[in-house]
Amino acid sequence: MQELHDAPLAPLTTFRLGGPATRLITATTDDEVIETVRRADADGTPLLLIGGGSNLVIGDKGFDGTALRIATRGFDLDGTMLELAAGEVWTDAVARTVEAGLAGIECLSGIPGSAGATPIQNVGAYGQEVSSTLTEVVAYDRREGRTVTLTNEECAFSYRHSRFKADPERYVVLRVRFALEDADGLSAPLRYAETARVLGVEVGDRVPLATARDAVLKLRAGKGMVLDPEDHDTWSAGSFFTNPILTDADFAALRARVRKRLGEGVEPPAYPAGEGFTKTSAAWLIDKAGFTKGYGTGPARISTKHTLALTNRGGATTEDLLALAREVVAGVREAFGVTLVNEPVMVGVSL
């Protein structure tokens, strides 16, 4: 277990932003994770958990407390049942399941970060969500002071949300378990229209696993969503805002604002989100509010590849990033009456 003091945190995040931590501990076993958490809780020391750093916005002043970097390793495949240690690199684990001929998470290829972070955000992309195949989460319960196992139902998953995100101070994810599918080397049925279109098949069709993975990686790379140290469009947290889920009344108000601003016949994207609710596209709203690809003149700008990603062009500060985010939120609210919500976790700062 490595311990550093006044340790830089920016290199541990995909934004490459943020000040130092008073203390940084790197834990490589579950016992080390639990020991560090218990010690911090006993001392009343603020605790920041860091996995792959792909969903963190850390303030320029840093973190006054203990930052715990979870670097545990473990990939255990038994038939179609998979267990991952929280510190496993997610995209590498997905690649290994594809190589093993198992379906269920292949469309989550290329997503940066660690396995332990995936249930917190209920990570999803290209028609798949972690909650669709996850069976259990093993976590340390800080309130009860013991290790617990939570079923899929107990995780209370919803769109980019979970029990862990709702109560971020309670649980520390240690292990994540999945039930995958042996479909004779084929993917799960494709649920995302863009993926199916690129592959020349219909929604609901299956394709070879490697084909599905390659298609998703190419789509993500085209949007700057696959990490590349040389490409500043990937110095981001991926999608900075969640897609708004609106009540029927709020969506009707949005449609009226869209027609008034953009003309009759223009409709905002609409996706079913349960009875009485509709999900729309944050990227579309941002673009139509005037924040196009590459928007900005400073060191923090909208990606040149995707309007939903805010990026560090090199030399940015967290305040530069937040200023851009606030400008986008205010502009979308003024144009369409919808308030965007940030997806990354804010540490020591807020919008």
Side-chain angles (χ1 to χ4, degrees):
M1 188 160 61
Q2 183 188 66
E3 181 171 334
L4 300 173
H5 294 267
D6 196 28
L9 295 180
L12 302 182
T13 75
T14 52
F15 264 124
R16 295 165 173 80
L17 295 176
T22 305
R23 181 170 66 166
L24 171 64
I25 293 178
T26 299
T28 57
T29 69
D30 290 352
D31 287 344
E32 290 178 352
V33 172
I34 293 170
E35 177 189 344
T36 303
V37 174
R38 282 178 171 165
R39 191 191 319 162
D41 289 346
D43 296 342
T45 303
L47 182 68
L48 171 64
L49 303 176
I50 300 177
S54 62
N55 204 43
L56 282 179
V57 176
I58 298 173
D60 292 317
K61 293 182 179 180
F63 183 71
D64 185 12
T66 297
L68 170 58
R69 179 170 172 259
I70 299 176
T72 53
R73 291 291 181 266
F75 180 99
D76 184 13
L77 189 60
D78 183 7
T80 58
M81 307 304 294
L82 172 66
E83 179 180 282
L84 298 176
E88 277 290 326
V89 177
W90 174 253
T91 192
D92 292 348
V94 174
R96 291 178 68 177
T97 67
V98 170
E99 290 169 1
L102 298 177
I105 56 176
E106 63 279 359
C107 290
L108 302 179
S109 295
I111 294 177
S114 62
T118 60
I120 297 172
Q121 195 78 1
N122 186 18
V123 164
Y126 296 99
Q128 290 183 346
E129 285 186 327
V130 165
S131 57
S132 298
T133 50
L134 182 146
T135 57
E136 293 179 331
V137 172
V138 179
Y140 176 69
D141 186 335
R142 297 169 68 182
R143 185 180 302 168
E144 297 186 4
R146 65 188 183 94
T147 300
V148 297
T149 300
L150 303 172
T151 65
N152 182 297
E153 184 176 8
E154 289 171 328
C155 292
F157 289 120
S158 59
Y159 172 67
R160 302 297 174 271
H161 201 70
S162 70
R163 180 176 185 170
F164 312 105
K165 190 173 182 179
D167 194 357
E169 302 299 319
R170 180 167 182 179
Y171 297 101
V172 180
V173 176
L174 301 173
R175 307 244 151 204
V176 189
R177 294 170 179 158
F178 301 88
L180 304 178
E181 178 189 8
D182 184 349
D184 294 326
L186 296 179
S187 69
L190 298 175
R191 301 299 182 196
Y192 199 71
E194 185 181 19
T195 312
R197 184 170 59 251
V198 165
L199 292 172
V201 298
E202 299 294 324
V203 171
D205 286 351
R206 296 177 185 261
V207 297
L209 279 162
T211 300
R213 172 176 162 77
D214 289 346
V216 167
L217 288 173
K218 288 177 183 176
L219 286 169
R220 291 186 64 85
K223 300 173 183 178
M225 298 292 184
V226 177
L227 292 181
D228 179 353
E230 303 302 317
D231 183 358
H232 282 276
D233 275 326
T234 73
W235 289 33
S236 74
S239 299
F240 196 87
F241 301 104
T242 58
N243 288 322
I245 296 178
L246 308 176
T247 65
D248 288 344
D250 287 341
F251 188 72
L254 170 61
R255 292 180 67 194
R257 282 177 174 262
V258 167
R259 291 194 206 100
K260 183 176 180 180
R261 182 181 179 91
L262 304 176
E264 292 294 331
V266 179
E267 290 286 337
Y271 310 96
E275 187 174 354
F277 293 92
T278 299
K279 181 168 68 175
T280 192
S281 167
W284 189 90
L285 294 174
I286 292 167
D287 180 72
K288 299 305 180 185
F291 303 100
T292 53
K293 295 174 184 177
Y295 178 88
T297 57
R301 303 180 196 176
I302 290 178
S303 166
T304 65
K305 299 182 179 74
H306 199 309
T307 54
L308 205 49
L310 308 188
T311 67
N312 172 10
R313 310 312 295 185
T317 65
T318 301
E319 280 305 311
D320 292 329
L321 175 76
L322 294 177
L324 175 61
R326 291 172 185 137
E327 183 183 1
V328 171
V329 170
V332 170
R333 185 189 298 119
E334 180 180 358
F336 300 116
V338 175
T339 300
L340 297 177
V341 176
N342 55 281
E343 187 167 326
V345 175
M346 301 284 177
V347 179
V349 292
S350 65
L351 289 185

